[in-house]
């Protein structure tokens, strides 16, 4: 029903509409290989706070053996919707009307048991875009997937909007389903696949400092020399005045000192243009230059006498030319460096994948830049490359924000880059000499470069820890998460279960879910059951650090005097709902100790399965382990200080006495605490007992984040398959193979060869190609080819 359609109501600020919305299908599906395993899906729609509904769960229609995007998900379910479109009175729309936004949000979930499950994708339909729909209208809106990888297609949700009249009839125009001026159904298009190892100037931003400055000054390498002469003129008025008489810039001194050639004839002709722009005649220029080479000394003498030049001016000319050539070489190096940083950092899509070669493409490309700089005669290029790489790594990591998968991607590349550089200069690192005699600053030393990379690793690692802790683990310590898990546990537990056992089951289910969410946040590919190219040791290090914080948080919460106490610190004591604990708060007993020990064992098994944490090399939950051992220990054995140090070495006498004061006898240990034990603990000298890590009271503070960088040798073995292959300073054969293939190098000079686009537009003209600004890629190509 459409009200407000009469002429007298045409200027009404609102239009009341009754629609029947049919959810037809989603295609193409699946958008990526990882979603082929999806068994069923449902869509939940929401319109405002009160109107919502859910479709039935349906199974995706997939063709066996077909590629990604060849299937679809059919729903064919309808719902009625009453909405009010508000006219935008501030816009004079002429013959049509303009309405304010009125949206329906549609969320696709993977159902799990008795709950909606995991959110897969979302879509939004704004009815204001379609106005008043009189006849049937089919629209398509993009589904924004929560997991996006390379080689993905854009799934579209197809809907049908029909007006619903008072007589319960649905208005439809038969064959005409789309009104004039409205959105038609999008045809299924071919997906555009971009691999993460492709290099293209179109999928990344340039280096904002070096590339832009260098290219703006140089334009193209065909005008490098002439532009640099202009820079010299701008820098010194005296030199600018003397340039008018410098037609001898490409000559020798009388002693036959020869200047380096310019690489090609075009550059040589540009020198002519630059000199002529400074009022030098072509006739005098020809006396000096012949095809890019220098005339003999006789011609120099004749030219000097004819033009009135003297020895002092000749030496000035040579000095200025050498200065100009140095500036050209520096700018050329800057362009090479900027191109390498661009293709190694700024053009990279930071996403996880199954190929270790692709995931660590940035590390390989950056290492080639540094190893090339180390082989150059100018040692200052080594320092410049090191600074640029470190600055670029910090910049791309900052751009990730709190996106943990992207941060993990760059952390993995930092570790691999450090390992490659360390292995190439292993002897320098061992001796700590690092060519001190020839280094003018610390950045010229390879060990300083690897130390700087390690600092970047530590910084990224700390950001990952904070993000995982606050975004994933901390929410499970609050009442909201507790209530959600309680409903699941209540439906599965029998009525005969004791209160303590019920809390243990609840805590087990909650933290199992929390650990799985943390795994998915750190590496979504590995969490989905696939192999990922990122270093698995990093996920283990992250979870070990987070488990250290969780150990302190649970320890403080369990030793509260009652479950009603509030948290005291957001890091070390953040648990606000005592139901998330494996044992009750403030009631230490033998049974609670056994229950706590059982929970710790379950946690360790899950962490081993998800992250490969080995309790032989790392002892997680050492506070909770010591607390459970203390609660189960026969209390008369605490009279011996040696046993106390063996069972709970990190507990002070005051803390032990506080735990025993609240000890509750149960069926496993019905006896009260012997008075002699309390007296011995009272008499202990607290100043002598324990060390810096000794806990004397609660709540105890959580330690700061500590990063233990993986060793370079272990990373090299992981990358090159078990046997360590030392890298020469020009790079290993693996690096050369993965960075100097003809296909990849050709892609650098054209922005469209890296993507599979069928375009009907004519090819760019040669004139356009000569000015496309890809000289930096040609220089980088020379670097990579020369490294072979």
């Amino acid at each position: 029903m459409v009200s407000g359609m009469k002429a007298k109501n045409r200027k009404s600020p609102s239009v009341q509409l009754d629609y029947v919305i049919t959810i037809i299908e989603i295609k193409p599906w699946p958008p990526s290989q990882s979603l082929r395993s999806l068994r069923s899906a449902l869509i939940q729609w929401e319109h405002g706070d009160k109107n919502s509904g859910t479709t039935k769960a349906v199974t995706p229609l997939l063709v066996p053996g077909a590629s990604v995007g060849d299937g679809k998900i059919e729903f064919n379910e309808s719902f009625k919707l009453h909405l009010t479109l508000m006219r935008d009175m501030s816009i004079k729309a002429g013959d049509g009307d303009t309405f304010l936004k009125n949206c329906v949000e549609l969320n696709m979930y993977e159902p799990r048991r008795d709950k909606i499950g995991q959110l897969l994708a979302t879509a939004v339909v704004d009815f204001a875009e379609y106005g008043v729909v009189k006849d049937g209208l089919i629209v398509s809106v993009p589904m924004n997937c929560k997991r996006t990888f390379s080689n993905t297609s854009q799934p579209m949700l197809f809907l049908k909007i029909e007006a619903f009249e008072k007589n319960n009839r649905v208005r439809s125009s038969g064959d005409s389903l789309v009104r004039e001026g409205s959105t038609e159904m999008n045809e299924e298009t071919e997906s555009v696949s971009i691999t993460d190892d492709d290099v293209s100037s179109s999928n990344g931003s340039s280096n904002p400092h070096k590339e832009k400055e260098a290219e703006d000054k140089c334009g193209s390498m065909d005008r490098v020399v002439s532009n640099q002469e202009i820079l010299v003129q701008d820098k010194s008025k005296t030199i600018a005045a003397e340039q008018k008489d410098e037609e001898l810039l490409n000559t020798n001194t009388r002693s036959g000192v020869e200047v380096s050639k310019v690489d090609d004839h075009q550059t040589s002709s540009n020198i002519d243009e630059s000199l002529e722009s400074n009022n030098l005649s072509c006739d005098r220029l020809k006396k000096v230059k012949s095809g890019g080479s220098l005339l003999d000394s006789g011609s120099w003498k004749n030219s000097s006498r004819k033009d009135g030049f003297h020895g002092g001016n000749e030496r000035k000319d040579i000095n200025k030319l050498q200065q100009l050539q140095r500036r050209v070489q520096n700018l050329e190096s800057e362009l090479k460096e900027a191109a390498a940083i661009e293709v190694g950092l700024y053009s990279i899509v930071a996403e996880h994948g199954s190929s270790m070669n692709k995931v660590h493409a940035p590390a390989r490309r950056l290492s080639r830049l540094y190893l090339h700089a180390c082989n150059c005669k100018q040692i200052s290029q080594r320092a410049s490359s090191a600074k640029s790489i470190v600055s670029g790594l910090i910049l791309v990591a900052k751009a990730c924000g709190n996106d943990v998968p992207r941060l993990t991607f760059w952390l993995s590349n930092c570790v691999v880059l450090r390992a490659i550089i360390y292995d190439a200069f292993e002897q320098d690192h061992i001796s700590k000499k690092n060519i001190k005699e020839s280094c003018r600053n610390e950045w010229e030393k390879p060990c300083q470069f690897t130390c700087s990379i390690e600092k970047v690793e530590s910084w990224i690692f700390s950001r990952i820890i904070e993000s995982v802790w606050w975004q994933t683990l901390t929410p499970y310590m609050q009442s909201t998460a507790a209530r959600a898990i309680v409903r699941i546990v209540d439906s599965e537990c029998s009525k005969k279960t004791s209160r303590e056992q019920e809390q243990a089951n609840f805590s087990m289910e909650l933290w199992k879910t929390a650990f799985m969410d943390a795994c998915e946040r750190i590496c979504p590919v590995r969490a989905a059951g696939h192999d990922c190219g990122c270093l698995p040791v990093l996920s283990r290090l992250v979870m070990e650090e987070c488990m250290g914080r969780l150990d302190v948080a649970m320890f403080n919460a369990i030793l509260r005097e009652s479950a009603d106490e509030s948290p005291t610190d957001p890091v070390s004591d953040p648990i606000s709902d005592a139901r998330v604990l494996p044992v009750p708060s403030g009631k230490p007993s033998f049974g609670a100790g056994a229950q706590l020990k059982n929970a710790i064992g379950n946690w360790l098994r899950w962490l081993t399965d998800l992250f490969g944490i080995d309790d032989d090399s790392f002892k997680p939950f050492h506070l909770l382990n010591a607390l459970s051992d203390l609660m189960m220990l026969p209390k008369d054995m605490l009279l011996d200080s040696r046993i106390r140090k063996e069972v709970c070495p990190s507990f002070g006498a005051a803390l032990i006495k506080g735990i025993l004061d609240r000890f509750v006898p149960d069926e496993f240990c019905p006896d009260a605490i012997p008075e002699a034990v309390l007296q011995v603990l009272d008499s202990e000298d607290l100043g002598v007992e324990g060390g810096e890590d000794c806990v004397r009271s609660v709540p105890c503070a959580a330690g700061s984040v500590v990063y233990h960088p993986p060793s370079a040798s272990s990373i090299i073995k992981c990358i090159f398959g078990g046997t360590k292959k030392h890298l020469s300073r020009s790079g290993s054969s693996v690096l050369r193979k993965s960075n100097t293939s003809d296909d990849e190098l050709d892609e650098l000079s054209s922005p469209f060869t890296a993507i599979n686009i069928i375009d009907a537009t004519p090819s760019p003209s040669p004139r356009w190609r000569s000015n496309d600004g890809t000289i930096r890629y040609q220089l980088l190509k020379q670097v990579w080819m020369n490294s072979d």
Side-chain angles (χ1 to χ4, degrees):
M1 177 184 68
V2 180
S3 61
M5 296 300 295
K6 295 182 180 180
K8 62 180 181 180
N9 295 327
R10 190 164 302 207
K11 297 301 182 180
S12 174
S14 64
V15 178
Q16 304 293 325
L17 301 171
D18 288 309
Y19 285 156
V20 173
I21 310 298
T22 302
I23 303 175
I24 303 175
E25 62 185 4
I26 296 176
K27 65 178 183 180
W29 188 267
S32 63
Q33 191 67 31
S34 63
L35 289 173
R36 290 188 65 90
S37 60
L38 180 67
R39 295 183 178 179
S40 62
L42 58 85
I43 289 182
Q44 182 187 60
W45 62 270
E46 295 181 0
H47 181 248
D49 298 331
K50 298 181 180 180
N51 297 329
S52 63
T54 305
T55 68
K56 296 179 182 178
V58 298
T59 302
L61 301 178
L62 302 179
V63 180
S67 59
V68 171
D70 288 343
K72 60 182 177 179
I73 305 178
E74 291 186 351
F75 294 94
N76 293 322
E77 291 195 31
S78 303
F79 61 91
K80 296 179 182 180
L81 183 65
H82 176 78
L83 56 93
T84 303
L85 287 182
M86 304 298 295
R87 286 189 174 91
D88 190 348
M89 307 303 291
S90 62
I91 299 177
K92 296 181 180 180
D95 295 334
D97 290 328
T98 302
F99 298 95
L100 300 178
K101 283 189 176 182
N102 194 322
C103 300
V104 167
E105 183 177 350
L106 301 103
N107 300 315
M108 185 173 71
Y109 291 89
E110 178 184 9
R112 294 180 180 176
R113 294 186 182 180
D114 58 344
K115 57 182 180 179
I116 291 180
Q118 182 181 8
L119 178 63
L120 299 177
T122 61
V124 177
V125 178
D126 185 5
F127 290 100
E129 296 181 2
Y130 312 112
V132 178
V133 179
K134 299 178 182 179
D135 302 324
L137 173 66
I138 294 181
V139 299
S140 62
V141 291
M143 296 291 292
N144 298 316
C145 296
K146 294 303 179 181
R147 300 180 189 174
T148 56
F149 308 102
S150 60
N151 302 325
T152 60
S153 303
Q154 175 68 64
M156 304 296 291
L157 173 62
F158 291 89
L159 306 169
K160 185 176 182 180
I161 305 174
E162 297 174 289
F164 182 69
E165 297 182 346
K166 288 183 178 180
N167 56 3
N168 290 334
R169 292 180 64 252
V170 176
R171 294 185 57 186
S172 178
S173 61
D175 297 335
S176 178
L177 294 178
V178 184
R179 70 178 179 88
E180 184 177 357
S182 63
T183 305
E184 298 182 355
M185 181 186 295
N186 292 340
E187 295 183 357
E188 196 171 352
T189 58
E190 295 183 3
S191 61
V192 180
S193 174
I194 306 177
T195 62
D196 63 351
D197 203 38
D198 290 337
V199 180
S200 172
S201 63
S202 64
N203 65 343
S205 60
S206 305
N207 187 316
H209 301 293
K210 294 193 173 182
E211 177 188 330
K212 182 65 178 176
E213 178 184 356
E215 289 200 82
D216 286 346
K217 289 181 181 179
C218 294
S220 66
M221 285 307 299
D222 292 341
R223 293 182 174 83
V224 167
V225 177
S226 61
N227 284 343
Q228 290 313 304
E229 188 168 6
I230 295 174
L231 292 176
V232 173
Q233 294 172 358
D234 292 338
K235 188 173 181 180
S236 173
K237 293 183 179 180
T238 303
I239 295 178
E242 293 178 353
Q243 291 296 326
K244 295 181 180 179
D245 293 324
E246 290 184 357
E247 73 279 8
L248 301 176
L249 288 179
N250 278 332
T251 60
N252 281 343
T253 60
R254 293 184 181 182
S255 59
V257 177
E258 198 169 281
V259 185
S260 300
K261 289 185 180 181
V262 182
D263 288 338
D264 55 19
H265 180 72
Q266 182 64 29
T267 305
S268 177
S269 64
N270 286 328
I271 296 180
D272 293 347
E273 296 175 5
S274 177
L275 295 176
E276 289 170 2
S277 65
N278 290 283
N279 299 325
L280 292 177
S281 66
C282 295
D283 293 337
R284 296 169 67 190
L285 181 66
K286 292 178 181 178
K287 298 176 182 179
V288 183
K289 182 186 67 66
S290 177
S293 61
L294 301 176
L295 298 179
D296 54 21
S297 59
S299 299
W300 169 270
K301 294 178 181 178
N302 295 334
S303 176
S304 298
R305 281 194 293 269
K306 181 177 179 181
D307 297 328
F309 280 84
H310 303 286
N313 289 335
E314 296 167 8
R315 286 190 293 271
K316 277 186 179 181
D317 296 336
I318 296 302
N319 292 335
K320 292 173 185 176
L321 177 59
Q322 291 175 343
Q323 181 184 11
L324 180 63
Q325 288 180 329
R326 284 193 296 269
R327 292 177 63 86
V328 171
Q329 292 173 356
N330 290 338
L331 282 173
E332 223 177 82
S333 300
E334 276 194 32
L335 281 177
K336 295 176 184 177
E337 189 176 296
I341 295 295
E342 179 184 344
V343 300
L345 291 174
Y346 304 133
S347 64
I348 294 297
V349 179
E351 61 183 12
H352 294 243
S354 60
S355 172
M356 179 176 288
N357 190 52
K358 290 184 178 181
V359 170
H360 295 115
R364 298 193 317 273
R365 294 170 182 172
L366 295 177
S367 65
R368 290 183 63 81
L369 169 64
Y370 185 76
L371 295 175
H372 169 76
C374 291
N375 290 329
C376 294
K377 295 180 180 178
Q378 295 182 351
I379 197 171
S380 60
Q381 289 188 16
R382 181 187 305 179
S384 176
S385 297
K387 288 181 180 180
S388 298
I389 292 172
V390 172
S391 299
L393 288 171
I394 294 175
L395 184 61
V396 294
K398 279 185 176 180
C400 295
N402 293 322
D403 191 332
V404 175
R406 291 171 62 196
L407 288 171
T408 309
F409 174 91
W410 288 116
L411 176 59
S412 187
N413 274 278
C414 286
V415 173
V416 172
L417 173 61
R418 173 174 57 84
I420 293 174
I421 301 303
Y422 182 94
D423 196 70
F425 297 91
E426 184 174 11
Q427 294 302 320
D428 292 334
H429 283 81
I430 294 175
S431 63
K432 298 296 182 181
K433 293 181 180 180
N434 295 294
I435 50 175
K436 291 183 178 179
E437 296 78 5
S438 58
C439 291
R440 291 176 296 177
N441 64 64
E442 292 295 323
W443 282 99
E444 295 174 356
K445 303 176 183 179
C447 72
Q448 175 64 31
F449 182 38
T450 54
C451 288
S452 300
I453 298 175
E454 191 173 307
K455 291 179 181 179
V456 178
E457 294 174 32
S458 179
W459 173 68
I460 298 177
F461 181 79
S462 299
R463 294 190 64 181
I464 294 175
I465 295 299
E466 298 300 329
S467 298
V468 172
W469 178 256
W470 292 112
Q471 296 178 6
T472 304
L473 297 180
T474 301
Y476 282 92
M477 306 175 192
Q478 315 304 320
S479 299
T480 303
R483 286 194 295 268
I485 301 296
V486 162
R487 289 193 293 268
I488 300 175
V489 176
D490 287 345
S491 63
E492 297 177 355
C493 293
S494 63
K495 296 182 179 179
K496 297 181 180 180
T497 305
S498 65
R499 189 177 221 179
E500 290 77 10
Q501 186 61 41
E502 182 178 344
Q503 179 168 354
N505 294 338
F506 164 75
S507 177
M508 184 183 304
E509 182 69 23
L510 182 140
W511 289 110
K512 183 178 182 180
T513 305
F515 295 160
M516 292 176 66
D517 285 353
C519 179
E520 183 174 3
R521 182 170 288 273
I522 295 172
C523 179
V525 174
R526 193 170 284 118
H530 308 291
D531 292 332
C532 184
C534 70
L535 298 175
V537 66
L538 300 179
S539 299
R540 178 175 60 82
L541 292 176
V542 169
M543 285 308 296
E544 286 178 358
E545 192 70 25
C546 290
M547 291 306 100
R549 282 192 178 185
L550 185 61
D551 182 36
V552 174
M554 287 195 172
F555 179 78
N556 289 331
I558 291 173
L559 293 182
R560 293 173 185 166
E561 293 185 2
S562 68
D564 299 330
E565 283 191 22
S566 301
T568 59
D569 184 84
V571 176
S572 59
D573 190 20
I575 297 177
S576 62
D577 195 324
R579 290 178 296 177
V580 306
L581 299 172
V583 295
S585 296
K587 296 179 180 179
S589 64
F590 187 98
Q595 190 169 306
L596 179 59
K597 180 70 71 173
N598 183 55
I600 294 173
N602 290 330
W603 295 341
L604 290 178
R605 283 193 294 272
W606 298 336
L607 293 172
T608 300
D609 293 340
L610 292 173
F611 304 99
I613 293 180
D614 185 7
D615 56 357
D616 293 334
S617 58
F618 172 73
K619 299 295 182 182
F621 306 109
H622 71 281
L623 290 177
L624 295 180
N625 262 314
L627 179 60
S628 64
D629 292 339
L630 177 61
M631 288 192 286
M632 292 189 295
L633 185 72
K635 303 306 179 284
D636 54 355
M637 297 182 66
L638 293 173
L639 293 171
D640 192 340
S641 61
R642 292 174 299 178
I643 294 179
R644 293 200 304 271
K645 290 182 179 178
E646 181 180 350
V647 174
C648 45
S650 57
F651 292 178
L655 177 61
I656 297 176
K657 183 178 182 300
I659 296 173
L660 297 181
D661 285 339
R662 298 196 295 273
F663 191 82
V664 179
D666 57 8
E667 57 181 328
F668 303 104
C669 183
D671 300 328
I673 303 299
E675 190 64 28
V677 174
L678 299 177
Q679 291 176 357
V680 168
L681 294 174
D682 277 335
S683 63
E684 287 284 351
D685 185 3
L686 300 181
V688 177
E689 157 186 72
E692 293 182 358
D693 296 334
C694 182
V695 180
R696 297 183 174 87
S697 61
V698 289
C700 63
S704 57
V705 177
V706 179
Y707 174 61
H708 302 284
S711 65
S713 58
S714 64
I715 300 303
I716 292 296
K717 290 179 182 179
C718 177
I719 295 174
F720 297 113
T723 58
K724 184 176 179 181
K725 298 181 180 180
H726 288 280
L727 306 176
S728 65
R729 295 193 180 184
S730 61
S732 70
S733 60
V734 176
L735 295 179
R736 286 197 296 271
K737 180 179 179 181
S738 59
N739 286 275
T740 58
S741 64
D742 294 338
D743 294 339
E744 186 179 64
L745 290 174
D746 292 339
E747 289 170 1
L748 293 177
S749 58
S750 175
F752 295 112
T753 54
I755 56 179
N756 238 355
I757 292 182
I758 301 176
D759 195 354
T761 57
S763 302
S765 63
R767 179 181 179 87
W768 180 86
R769 288 183 181 274
S770 64
N771 297 321
D772 60 0
T774 57
I775 298 299
R776 62 187 184 279
Y777 294 140
Q778 298 176 16
L779 293 173
L780 182 60
K781 182 177 180 179
Q782 294 175 5
V783 172
W784 286 359
M785 294 183 67
N786 291 338
S787 63
D788 286 340

